[in-house]
PDB file of all heavy atoms in Angstrom:
ATOM      1  N   GLY Y 217     -31.054  15.027  49.784  1.00 97.00           N
ATOM      2  CA  GLY Y 217     -30.148  16.118  49.440  1.00 97.00           C
ATOM      3  C   GLY Y 217     -30.739  16.980  48.344  1.00 97.00           C
ATOM      4  O   GLY Y 217     -31.833  16.719  47.842  1.00 97.00           O
ATOM      5  N   GLU Y 296     -20.489   2.142  18.502  1.00 94.00           N
ATOM      6  CA  GLU Y 296     -21.499   2.906  17.766  1.00 94.00           C
ATOM      7  C   GLU Y 296     -21.550   4.332  18.300  1.00 94.00           C
ATOM      8  O   GLU Y 296     -21.016   4.617  19.384  1.00 94.00           O
ATOM      9  CB  GLU Y 296     -22.881   2.265  17.877  1.00 94.00           C
ATOM     10  CG  GLU Y 296     -23.389   2.107  19.291  1.00 94.00           C
ATOM     11  CD  GLU Y 296     -24.716   1.377  19.347  1.00 94.00           C
ATOM     12  OE1 GLU Y 296     -24.784   0.218  18.927  1.00 94.00           O
ATOM     13  OE2 GLU Y 296     -25.689   2.008  19.825  1.00 94.00           O
ATOM     14  N   GLU Y 349     -19.795  -3.634  47.750  1.00 96.00           N
ATOM     15  CA  GLU Y 349     -21.233  -3.943  47.830  1.00 96.00           C
ATOM     16  C   GLU Y 349     -22.080  -2.813  47.258  1.00 96.00           C
ATOM     17  O   GLU Y 349     -23.276  -2.983  47.058  1.00 96.00           O
ATOM     18  CB  GLU Y 349     -21.647  -4.204  49.287  1.00 96.00           C
ATOM     19  CG  GLU Y 349     -21.125  -5.500  49.883  1.00 96.00           C
ATOM     20  CD  GLU Y 349     -19.687  -5.358  50.345  1.00 96.00           C
ATOM     21  OE1 GLU Y 349     -19.243  -4.203  50.583  1.00 96.00           O
ATOM     22  OE2 GLU Y 349     -18.995  -6.380  50.469  1.00 96.00           O
ATOM     23  N   GLU Y 358     -17.997  16.238  53.518  1.00 41.00           N
ATOM     24  CA  GLU Y 358     -18.914  16.687  54.560  1.00 41.00           C
ATOM     25  C   GLU Y 358     -20.063  17.504  53.988  1.00 41.00           C
ATOM     26  O   GLU Y 358     -21.171  17.501  54.486  1.00 41.00           O
ATOM     27  CB  GLU Y 358     -18.155  17.526  55.601  1.00 41.00           C
ATOM     28  CG  GLU Y 358     -17.163  16.723  56.424  1.00 41.00           C
ATOM     29  CD  GLU Y 358     -17.806  15.607  57.215  1.00 41.00           C
ATOM     30  OE1 GLU Y 358     -18.892  15.820  57.772  1.00 41.00           O
ATOM     31  OE2 GLU Y 358     -17.247  14.500  57.268  1.00 41.00           O
TER      32      GLU Y 358
END
Side-chain angles (χ1 to χ4, degrees):
E296 58 184 61
E349 290 81 22
E358 292 300 319

